[in-house]
Amino acid sequence: MAEEAPEALKVTSDIVGKADVGIVGIGVMGSNLALNLLGKGFTVGLWNLETEVTEKFVKDCEQKFGKRKALGTATYEDYAKVLKKPRKSLILVTAGKATDIVISNLMKVFATDDIIVDTGNAHFKDQSRRAEEVEAKGMRFLGMGISGGAEGARKGPAFFPGGTLSVWKDIQQIVEAASAKASDGRPCVTMNGRGGAGSCVKMYHNAGEYAVLQIWAEAFATLRGFGYDGEGIRKVLTSWKERGALDSYMLDITREVAVMKDAEVADGSYLVDHTADMIGSKGTGLWSVQVALDVGCPVPSLAAAVLARQMSMVRPERLANCKQIGSIVRIDMKDKKEGKELEVAVEDMYWAVYMSMIASYAQMFQCLRAVDKEFNLEITGNLPRIISTFRAGCILQGAMLEPMTKAFENDPNIPNLICAFRQELEQGMPGLRATCAKLAMSGEAAPVMQASLGYLTTMARDTLSAGQVVSCQRDVFGRHGFKRLDASGNASEELYHAEWPEMIP
């Protein structure tokens, strides 16, 4: 016999069909999004695995928003009862198996045309699968990523919906009300495309986030190598922020990291010096790189950011290696720079960051175009509007997004986003080269900056000599063939073979 629901979670006739939207999962993200929606005047239905969590949340909400605004329930059946038809449910549980369980349970109590929205960091292929399964039952599905963390969920995040257009029209008013608003007042949400398009955009948003966070970390490490302490690094980063182009949320959080003191020690040392150098991740960056490789889209900066996290996580191996070969391989910056030399090095570093950002964002958007072409997600035509939704409530929020939006608006068929930054590349490439050259000689590795230099110099060359050599090598040992260049430099469609001497390995 089922347990009787607590008094605060009992469904009475006066609340049946009263909730504008429902939320399954009221952990950190779910509770904050619920508070956001309640603050916008919506009545919100709630279900959580632990009924005591739901009961406490409802009681807390009564004090702030009044009774019958947060409608807590103890069962899926009751949850379905309190939602207005067509029912609209947002899922905020751990991505993966837990999400599939929730969707299965909702489909048992929902009816035709009801809407299920998964907001987790899911692989876009999983979201396309879920959309097919839900729609086969006559219901509707939306995969909708969220950026901005817990604070964004409370105050207004950026949303990335993808799925059936009719779903978006039915839930648009609610999502737009909860979203962040850009400086022009526009909500930071737009329909990204069909199927798993929203989750695909969120995947590559996260891959870009990996790269940009790593770029700022590499800048921090290099500035420290130049001799700056935390306050000095913050001062440099603040001067870069004031120049405008690099002004961003991730720059701001790096400035805070630079000066944060460790409250657990009495010597006034920085928190960063007592932080384990092990970077966690949730998989979206790795998925993005894997899919990029699958569709043949080169993403060296994004891949380097993922690999940097993986190398950070094998700390025991690094410590063991350091004991045996650290003195041979590792060369720290010993000569602290001063005066004009320091000024030039810092200016070069500014441009190294700038160029690496351009390269990373370019790879991110090239991937979205390539994946869209492969899986027909209808993302490409929406790119300008999608980028504009990053402008507030989003981890990637920054000044650089404005010229990127305009680049795709002005030329939807631009070969690569790097082509829109000709003037900046002309001004900044010497600084990127100089910085990478310095770091190759001494100091901590800067894998994303080095990868970005490789990307920019490779993707702007008309002929790759190494590519020609490897094509011939493959024909020598495996008779794989090679394409010929005609007098105009165009590659042939057919493959050719040369008469090589017999070479047996």
Side-chain angles (χ1 to χ4, degrees), residues 126-206:
D126 287 333
Q127 298 296 55
S128 294
R129 168 184 58 79
R130 288 167 180 151
E132 290 178 5
E133 292 172 355
V134 171
E135 288 169 9
K137 298 289 187 179
M139 296 162 228
R140 295 177 289 168
F141 180 83
L142 203 66
M144 185 172 70
I146 301 178
S147 177
E151 188 170 350
R154 177 68 181 89
K155 298 178 180 178
F159 292 103
F160 308 104
T164 308
L165 189 58
S166 67
V167 182
W168 175 236
K169 289 178 179 176
D170 278 352
I171 203 168
Q172 181 175 2
Q173 180 187 2
I174 295 170
V175 177
E176 286 186 345
S179 73
K181 306 301 182 292
S183 57
D184 59 4
R186 294 170 74 183
C188 291
V189 56
T190 192
M191 191 64 170
N192 291 177
R194 61 184 294 276
S199 294
C200 183
V201 170
K202 184 57 165 55
M203 270 174 51
Y204 282 100
H205 162 285
N206 287 12

Side-chain angles (χ1 to χ4, degrees), residues 52 89 185 218 230-231 274 300 334 350 378 400 426 435 449 505:
E52 63 272 16
S89 178
E218 291 171 13
E231 281 71 20
H274 299 277
K334 295 177 182 177
Y350 170 85
E378 299 179 4
M400 201 175 285
E426 186 174 355
T435 297
M449 290 188 188

Side-chain angles (χ1 to χ4, degrees), residues 220 224 230-231 253 256-265 267-277:
F220 176 99
R224 175 170 276 195
E231 281 71 20
I253 63 175
E256 293 305 312
V257 169
V259 296
M260 176 61 71
K261 298 295 179 66
D262 191 345
E264 299 297 318
V265 297
D267 61 4
S269 54
Y270 295 109
L271 176 62
V272 71
D273 292 323
H274 299 277
T275 301
D277 54 344

